Amino acid sequence: MRYDPEILYVHKLCFFMFLSTFTLLATAIVTWNFDIPSGLKVLAAGLGLSYIVMVLKKDFNPPETKLTAKRMAHTILQDTSPLSIARFASQLYYYFHEPAQAISLLEKYLPSQDPLICTTLGDILLKEGKAKRALYILRDNPFALVDPLLLATQGRVLKHIGKIPEAARLFERSLSLSKREKFPKSSSNWITQKILTISYIANIHHRLADCYIILDDITQAKKHYKAGNRLLLDISLWRRCPPVPIDSTKNRKNTY
């Protein structure tokens, strides 16, 4: 199962915190039985090892299929909120590989005009190669220019179809609005919500930097790569500005 970068970051940090609990336990035992300096050495070594393991971790195994299906059915019967519908559709698409069912479910709830439903549908349509349809649905939402996720998804679609300046403007607007509470919406605990928010903002910085690379604005590209990297503890997810030949801009201008 291939996770989006922002979701992968949440999984990796949760994995790091899981490993760190063993380090804290070992630190407490060593400190109790020996002394504080020995405990601090165990703490430093354990956290360092946990970090290395987190960086090297590239994927996570999803839960067993039947168990996931039972959880989905139980949840959807008790909760038909936009968040539950979006999660259900995402599991249908990414885990069960049922794009038609996922799209059909989201389209059924699209009249609610909920940004999360619309964003999830737009994301799936883009991945299915239906960029123009995705853009039409996203722009038709009344929150298209005020919701950070809708703006970022529109930016991704526009970048995909080659409208880079328009994509960059929407990514910039998404960044300016993304500091508000609960971006994106999640019913998870506070820590997971905070990590998810930071991860999404970092991802938007990186996507915006990619746009500036195409627009030959290397200064802005480097600025946003660094801004995104500063938000990510895991260096394996950092992005760097690709090397650009000195005469690249000149060569591109001569081709038009």
Side-chain angles (χ1 to χ4, degrees), residues 3-28:
Y3 294 97
D4 286 336
E6 55 270 21
I7 305 300
L8 178 62
Y9 183 57
V10 174
H11 278 289
K12 296 186 79 169
L13 272 190
C14 289
F15 182 62
F16 172 73
M17 289 187 286
F18 170 74
L19 294 177
S20 297
T21 57
F22 293 99
T23 298
L24 294 175
L25 179 61
T27 300

PDB file of all heavy atoms in Angstrom, residues 3-28:
ATOM      1  N   TYR A   3       1.555   5.040   0.547  1.00  0.00           N
ATOM      2  CA  TYR A   3       1.018   6.177   1.282  1.00  0.00           C
ATOM      3  C   TYR A   3       1.482   7.489   0.656  1.00  0.00           C
ATOM      4  O   TYR A   3       2.579   7.585   0.123  1.00  0.00           O
ATOM      5  CB  TYR A   3       1.493   6.143   2.739  1.00  0.00           C
ATOM      6  CG  TYR A   3       0.960   4.979   3.548  1.00  0.00           C
ATOM      7  CD1 TYR A   3       1.722   3.836   3.726  1.00  0.00           C
ATOM      8  CD2 TYR A   3      -0.294   5.043   4.146  1.00  0.00           C
ATOM      9  CE1 TYR A   3       1.254   2.763   4.478  1.00  0.00           C
ATOM     10  CE2 TYR A   3      -0.773   3.981   4.893  1.00  0.00           C
ATOM     11  CZ  TYR A   3       0.005   2.848   5.060  1.00  0.00           C
ATOM     12  OH  TYR A   3      -0.473   1.800   5.796  1.00  0.00           O
ATOM     13  N   ASP A   4       0.624   8.529   0.768  1.00  0.00           N
ATOM     14  CA  ASP A   4       1.040   9.864   0.387  1.00  0.00           C
ATOM     15  C   ASP A   4       2.101  10.337   1.381  1.00  0.00           C
ATOM     16  O   ASP A   4       2.120   9.879   2.533  1.00  0.00           O
ATOM     17  CB  ASP A   4      -0.154  10.827   0.391  1.00  0.00           C
ATOM     18  CG  ASP A   4      -1.081  10.595  -0.792  1.00  0.00           C
ATOM     19  OD1 ASP A   4      -0.601  10.059  -1.814  1.00  0.00           O
ATOM     20  OD2 ASP A   4      -2.272  10.932  -0.694  1.00  0.00           O
ATOM     21  N   PRO A   5       2.990  11.266   0.974  1.00  0.00           N
ATOM     22  CA  PRO A   5       4.092  11.690   1.843  1.00  0.00           C
ATOM     23  C   PRO A   5       3.647  12.164   3.220  1.00  0.00           C
ATOM     24  O   PRO A   5       4.270  11.846   4.227  1.00  0.00           O
ATOM     25  CB  PRO A   5       4.748  12.822   1.054  1.00  0.00           C
ATOM     26  CG  PRO A   5       4.415  12.523  -0.368  1.00  0.00           C
ATOM     27  CD  PRO A   5       3.049  11.919  -0.348  1.00  0.00           C
ATOM     28  N   GLU A   6       2.556  12.953   3.262  1.00  0.00           N
ATOM     29  CA  GLU A   6       2.125  13.484   4.547  1.00  0.00           C
ATOM     30  C   GLU A   6       1.608  12.388   5.480  1.00  0.00           C
ATOM     31  O   GLU A   6       1.827  12.434   6.700  1.00  0.00           O
ATOM     32  CB  GLU A   6       1.052  14.578   4.356  1.00  0.00           C
ATOM     33  CG  GLU A   6      -0.158  14.150   3.557  1.00  0.00           C
ATOM     34  CD  GLU A   6       0.009  14.392   2.074  1.00  0.00           C
ATOM     35  OE1 GLU A   6       1.150  14.508   1.607  1.00  0.00           O
ATOM     36  OE2 GLU A   6      -1.026  14.466   1.384  1.00  0.00           O
ATOM     37  N   ILE A   7       0.926  11.384   4.920  1.00  0.00           N
ATOM     38  CA  ILE A   7       0.433  10.274   5.742  1.00  0.00           C
ATOM     39  C   ILE A   7       1.598   9.391   6.182  1.00  0.00           C
ATOM     40  O   ILE A   7       1.633   8.907   7.320  1.00  0.00           O
ATOM     41  CB  ILE A   7      -0.600   9.444   4.961  1.00  0.00           C
ATOM     42  CG1 ILE A   7      -1.739  10.347   4.455  1.00  0.00           C
ATOM     43  CG2 ILE A   7      -1.155   8.326   5.823  1.00  0.00           C
ATOM     44  CD1 ILE A   7      -2.491  11.063   5.538  1.00  0.00           C
ATOM     45  N   LEU A   8       2.557   9.185   5.298  1.00  0.00           N
ATOM     46  CA  LEU A   8       3.735   8.393   5.636  1.00  0.00           C
ATOM     47  C   LEU A   8       4.492   9.034   6.803  1.00  0.00           C
ATOM     48  O   LEU A   8       4.971   8.330   7.698  1.00  0.00           O
ATOM     49  CB  LEU A   8       4.651   8.279   4.417  1.00  0.00           C
ATOM     50  CG  LEU A   8       5.969   7.514   4.620  1.00  0.00           C
ATOM     51  CD1 LEU A   8       5.694   6.064   4.996  1.00  0.00           C
ATOM     52  CD2 LEU A   8       6.830   7.581   3.358  1.00  0.00           C
ATOM     53  N   TYR A   9       4.580  10.361   6.798  1.00  0.00           N
ATOM     54  CA  TYR A   9       5.286  11.060   7.872  1.00  0.00           C
ATOM     55  C   TYR A   9       4.602  10.818   9.219  1.00  0.00           C
ATOM     56  O   TYR A   9       5.269  10.617  10.239  1.00  0.00           O
ATOM     57  CB  TYR A   9       5.346  12.548   7.558  1.00  0.00           C
ATOM     58  CG  TYR A   9       6.112  13.356   8.578  1.00  0.00           C
ATOM     59  CD1 TYR A   9       7.440  13.045   8.874  1.00  0.00           C
ATOM     60  CD2 TYR A   9       5.522  14.428   9.237  1.00  0.00           C
ATOM     61  CE1 TYR A   9       8.159  13.788   9.809  1.00  0.00           C
ATOM     62  CE2 TYR A   9       6.236  15.174  10.164  1.00  0.00           C
ATOM     63  CZ  TYR A   9       7.542  14.845  10.449  1.00  0.00           C
ATOM     64  OH  TYR A   9       8.247  15.574  11.375  1.00  0.00           O
ATOM     65  N   VAL A  10       3.280  10.845   9.238  1.00  0.00           N
ATOM     66  CA  VAL A  10       2.548  10.577  10.475  1.00  0.00           C
ATOM     67  C   VAL A  10       2.846   9.166  10.974  1.00  0.00           C
ATOM     68  O   VAL A  10       3.128   8.952  12.161  1.00  0.00           O
ATOM     69  CB  VAL A  10       1.027  10.759  10.269  1.00  0.00           C
ATOM     70  CG1 VAL A  10       0.261  10.329  11.516  1.00  0.00           C
ATOM     71  CG2 VAL A  10       0.701  12.203   9.947  1.00  0.00           C
ATOM     72  N   HIS A  11       2.821   8.196  10.064  1.00  0.00           N
ATOM     73  CA  HIS A  11       3.122   6.815  10.434  1.00  0.00           C
ATOM     74  C   HIS A  11       4.541   6.690  10.999  1.00  0.00           C
ATOM     75  O   HIS A  11       4.769   5.995  11.999  1.00  0.00           O
ATOM     76  CB  HIS A  11       2.975   5.899   9.217  1.00  0.00           C
ATOM     77  CG  HIS A  11       1.568   5.478   8.945  1.00  0.00           C
ATOM     78  ND1 HIS A  11       0.896   4.587   9.748  1.00  0.00           N
ATOM     79  CD2 HIS A  11       0.707   5.810   7.956  1.00  0.00           C
ATOM     80  CE1 HIS A  11      -0.330   4.387   9.274  1.00  0.00           C
ATOM     81  NE2 HIS A  11      -0.469   5.124   8.187  1.00  0.00           N
ATOM     82  N   LYS A  12       5.485   7.368  10.354  1.00  0.00           N
ATOM     83  CA  LYS A  12       6.879   7.254  10.773  1.00  0.00           C
ATOM     84  C   LYS A  12       7.117   7.894  12.136  1.00  0.00           C
ATOM     85  O   LYS A  12       7.864   7.348  12.974  1.00  0.00           O
ATOM     86  CB  LYS A  12       7.803   7.872   9.717  1.00  0.00           C
ATOM     87  CG  LYS A  12       7.766   7.152   8.375  1.00  0.00           C
ATOM     88  CD  LYS A  12       8.794   7.674   7.391  1.00  0.00           C
ATOM     89  CE  LYS A  12      10.159   7.131   7.682  1.00  0.00           C
ATOM     90  NZ  LYS A  12      11.139   7.408   6.619  1.00  0.00           N
ATOM     91  N   LEU A  13       6.497   9.032  12.397  1.00  0.00           N
ATOM     92  CA  LEU A  13       6.677   9.675  13.693  1.00  0.00           C
ATOM     93  C   LEU A  13       6.008   8.865  14.805  1.00  0.00           C
ATOM     94  O   LEU A  13       6.547   8.768  15.914  1.00  0.00           O
ATOM     95  CB  LEU A  13       6.109  11.093  13.665  1.00  0.00           C
ATOM     96  CG  LEU A  13       7.048  12.194  13.200  1.00  0.00           C
ATOM     97  CD1 LEU A  13       6.434  13.560  13.459  1.00  0.00           C
ATOM     98  CD2 LEU A  13       8.398  12.124  13.894  1.00  0.00           C
ATOM     99  N   CYS A  14       4.840   8.303  14.504  1.00  0.00           N
ATOM    100  CA  CYS A  14       4.179   7.440  15.494  1.00  0.00           C
ATOM    101  C   CYS A  14       5.047   6.214  15.785  1.00  0.00           C
ATOM    102  O   CYS A  14       5.134   5.757  16.937  1.00  0.00           O
ATOM    103  CB  CYS A  14       2.800   7.014  14.993  1.00  0.00           C
ATOM    104  SG  CYS A  14       1.579   8.357  14.979  1.00  0.00           S
ATOM    105  N   PHE A  15       5.695   5.682  14.768  1.00  0.00           N
ATOM    106  CA  PHE A  15       6.605   4.548  14.926  1.00  0.00           C
ATOM    107  C   PHE A  15       7.798   4.946  15.795  1.00  0.00           C
ATOM    108  O   PHE A  15       8.233   4.183  16.674  1.00  0.00           O
ATOM    109  CB  PHE A  15       7.070   4.074  13.548  1.00  0.00           C
ATOM    110  CG  PHE A  15       7.983   2.881  13.570  1.00  0.00           C
ATOM    111  CD1 PHE A  15       7.549   1.668  14.079  1.00  0.00           C
ATOM    112  CD2 PHE A  15       9.272   2.959  13.059  1.00  0.00           C
ATOM    113  CE1 PHE A  15       8.387   0.557  14.097  1.00  0.00           C
ATOM    114  CE2 PHE A  15      10.115   1.864  13.073  1.00  0.00           C
ATOM    115  CZ  PHE A  15       9.669   0.656  13.596  1.00  0.00           C
ATOM    116  N   PHE A  16       8.313   6.160  15.579  1.00  0.00           N
ATOM    117  CA  PHE A  16       9.429   6.668  16.379  1.00  0.00           C
ATOM    118  C   PHE A  16       9.025   6.796  17.847  1.00  0.00           C
ATOM    119  O   PHE A  16       9.780   6.412  18.757  1.00  0.00           O
ATOM    120  CB  PHE A  16       9.883   8.023  15.838  1.00  0.00           C
ATOM    121  CG  PHE A  16      10.901   8.717  16.696  1.00  0.00           C
ATOM    122  CD1 PHE A  16      12.214   8.272  16.739  1.00  0.00           C
ATOM    123  CD2 PHE A  16      10.551   9.816  17.464  1.00  0.00           C
ATOM    124  CE1 PHE A  16      13.168   8.903  17.533  1.00  0.00           C
ATOM    125  CE2 PHE A  16      11.491  10.455  18.264  1.00  0.00           C
ATOM    126  CZ  PHE A  16      12.798   9.995  18.293  1.00  0.00           C
ATOM    127  N   MET A  17       7.819   7.328  18.094  1.00  0.00           N
ATOM    128  CA  MET A  17       7.358   7.477  19.470  1.00  0.00           C
ATOM    129  C   MET A  17       7.135   6.116  20.127  1.00  0.00           C
ATOM    130  O   MET A  17       7.391   5.948  21.329  1.00  0.00           O
ATOM    131  CB  MET A  17       6.080   8.314  19.502  1.00  0.00           C
ATOM    132  CG  MET A  17       6.319   9.794  19.193  1.00  0.00           C
ATOM    133  SD  MET A  17       4.863  10.837  19.404  1.00  0.00           S
ATOM    134  CE  MET A  17       3.915  10.384  17.956  1.00  0.00           C
ATOM    135  N   PHE A  18       6.686   5.137  19.334  1.00  0.00           N
ATOM    136  CA  PHE A  18       6.509   3.779  19.855  1.00  0.00           C
ATOM    137  C   PHE A  18       7.854   3.198  20.296  1.00  0.00           C
ATOM    138  O   PHE A  18       7.979   2.634  21.392  1.00  0.00           O
ATOM    139  CB  PHE A  18       5.870   2.900  18.783  1.00  0.00           C
ATOM    140  CG  PHE A  18       5.863   1.436  19.111  1.00  0.00           C
ATOM    141  CD1 PHE A  18       4.990   0.927  20.065  1.00  0.00           C
ATOM    142  CD2 PHE A  18       6.727   0.563  18.467  1.00  0.00           C
ATOM    143  CE1 PHE A  18       4.988  -0.429  20.383  1.00  0.00           C
ATOM    144  CE2 PHE A  18       6.730  -0.788  18.765  1.00  0.00           C
ATOM    145  CZ  PHE A  18       5.853  -1.287  19.730  1.00  0.00           C
ATOM    146  N   LEU A  19       8.877   3.353  19.460  1.00  0.00           N
ATOM    147  CA  LEU A  19      10.199   2.859  19.810  1.00  0.00           C
ATOM    148  C   LEU A  19      10.774   3.614  21.004  1.00  0.00           C
ATOM    149  O   LEU A  19      11.473   3.036  21.842  1.00  0.00           O
ATOM    150  CB  LEU A  19      11.145   2.998  18.605  1.00  0.00           C
ATOM    151  CG  LEU A  19      10.831   2.145  17.379  1.00  0.00           C
ATOM    152  CD1 LEU A  19      11.817   2.463  16.251  1.00  0.00           C
ATOM    153  CD2 LEU A  19      10.878   0.660  17.712  1.00  0.00           C
ATOM    154  N   SER A  20      10.465   4.898  21.092  1.00  0.00           N
ATOM    155  CA  SER A  20      11.004   5.720  22.173  1.00  0.00           C
ATOM    156  C   SER A  20      10.479   5.307  23.536  1.00  0.00           C
ATOM    157  O   SER A  20      11.143   5.533  24.566  1.00  0.00           O
ATOM    158  CB  SER A  20      10.681   7.198  21.923  1.00  0.00           C
ATOM    159  OG  SER A  20      11.298   7.648  20.732  1.00  0.00           O
ATOM    160  N   THR A  21       9.276   4.733  23.572  1.00  0.00           N
ATOM    161  CA  THR A  21       8.737   4.292  24.862  1.00  0.00           C
ATOM    162  C   THR A  21       9.622   3.205  25.486  1.00  0.00           C
ATOM    163  O   THR A  21       9.805   3.175  26.707  1.00  0.00           O
ATOM    164  CB  THR A  21       7.303   3.754  24.706  1.00  0.00           C
ATOM    165  OG1 THR A  21       7.292   2.684  23.756  1.00  0.00           O
ATOM    166  CG2 THR A  21       6.359   4.845  24.242  1.00  0.00           C
ATOM    167  N   PHE A  22      10.179   2.335  24.649  1.00  0.00           N
ATOM    168  CA  PHE A  22      11.090   1.306  25.157  1.00  0.00           C
ATOM    169  C   PHE A  22      12.384   1.943  25.672  1.00  0.00           C
ATOM    170  O   PHE A  22      12.957   1.501  26.667  1.00  0.00           O
ATOM    171  CB  PHE A  22      11.400   0.282  24.069  1.00  0.00           C
ATOM    172  CG  PHE A  22      10.212  -0.544  23.664  1.00  0.00           C
ATOM    173  CD1 PHE A  22       9.486  -0.235  22.532  1.00  0.00           C
ATOM    174  CD2 PHE A  22       9.806  -1.632  24.434  1.00  0.00           C
ATOM    175  CE1 PHE A  22       8.391  -0.994  22.151  1.00  0.00           C
ATOM    176  CE2 PHE A  22       8.714  -2.389  24.067  1.00  0.00           C
ATOM    177  CZ  PHE A  22       7.988  -2.075  22.923  1.00  0.00           C
ATOM    178  N   THR A  23      12.824   2.999  24.967  1.00  0.00           N
ATOM    179  CA  THR A  23      14.023   3.714  25.415  1.00  0.00           C
ATOM    180  C   THR A  23      13.797   4.360  26.773  1.00  0.00           C
ATOM    181  O   THR A  23      14.661   4.302  27.662  1.00  0.00           O
ATOM    182  CB  THR A  23      14.410   4.791  24.387  1.00  0.00           C
ATOM    183  OG1 THR A  23      14.728   4.171  23.145  1.00  0.00           O
ATOM    184  CG2 THR A  23      15.598   5.601  24.864  1.00  0.00           C
ATOM    185  N   LEU A  24      12.640   4.983  26.946  1.00  0.00           N
ATOM    186  CA  LEU A  24      12.335   5.634  28.226  1.00  0.00           C
ATOM    187  C   LEU A  24      12.257   4.614  29.352  1.00  0.00           C
ATOM    188  O   LEU A  24      12.717   4.876  30.480  1.00  0.00           O
ATOM    189  CB  LEU A  24      11.025   6.413  28.104  1.00  0.00           C
ATOM    190  CG  LEU A  24      11.035   7.612  27.153  1.00  0.00           C
ATOM    191  CD1 LEU A  24       9.650   8.216  27.044  1.00  0.00           C
ATOM    192  CD2 LEU A  24      12.040   8.660  27.616  1.00  0.00           C
ATOM    193  N   LEU A  25      11.680   3.458  29.052  1.00  0.00           N
ATOM    194  CA  LEU A  25      11.591   2.403  30.061  1.00  0.00           C
ATOM    195  C   LEU A  25      12.986   1.907  30.451  1.00  0.00           C
ATOM    196  O   LEU A  25      13.295   1.754  31.648  1.00  0.00           O
ATOM    197  CB  LEU A  25      10.752   1.247  29.518  1.00  0.00           C
ATOM    198  CG  LEU A  25      10.569   0.032  30.447  1.00  0.00           C
ATOM    199  CD1 LEU A  25       9.867   0.465  31.740  1.00  0.00           C
ATOM    200  CD2 LEU A  25       9.766  -1.058  29.744  1.00  0.00           C
ATOM    201  N   ALA A  26      13.835   1.682  29.436  1.00  0.00           N
ATOM    202  CA  ALA A  26      15.203   1.229  29.703  1.00  0.00           C
ATOM    203  C   ALA A  26      15.983   2.288  30.474  1.00  0.00           C
ATOM    204  O   ALA A  26      16.765   1.971  31.384  1.00  0.00           O
ATOM    205  CB  ALA A  26      15.905   0.909  28.391  1.00  0.00           C
ATOM    206  N   THR A  27      15.752   3.568  30.142  1.00  0.00           N
ATOM    207  CA  THR A  27      16.421   4.665  30.840  1.00  0.00           C
ATOM    208  C   THR A  27      16.040   4.692  32.314  1.00  0.00           C
ATOM    209  O   THR A  27      16.895   4.871  33.199  1.00  0.00           O
ATOM    210  CB  THR A  27      16.066   6.009  30.190  1.00  0.00           C
ATOM    211  OG1 THR A  27      16.489   5.997  28.821  1.00  0.00           O
ATOM    212  CG2 THR A  27      16.730   7.164  30.917  1.00  0.00           C
ATOM    213  N   ALA A  28      14.766   4.516  32.580  1.00  0.00           N
ATOM    214  CA  ALA A  28      14.287   4.524  33.962  1.00  0.00           C
ATOM    215  C   ALA A  28      14.894   3.372  34.768  1.00  0.00           C
ATOM    216  O   ALA A  28      15.305   3.552  35.923  1.00  0.00           O
ATOM    217  CB  ALA A  28      12.763   4.442  33.982  1.00  0.00           C
TER     218      ALA A  28
END
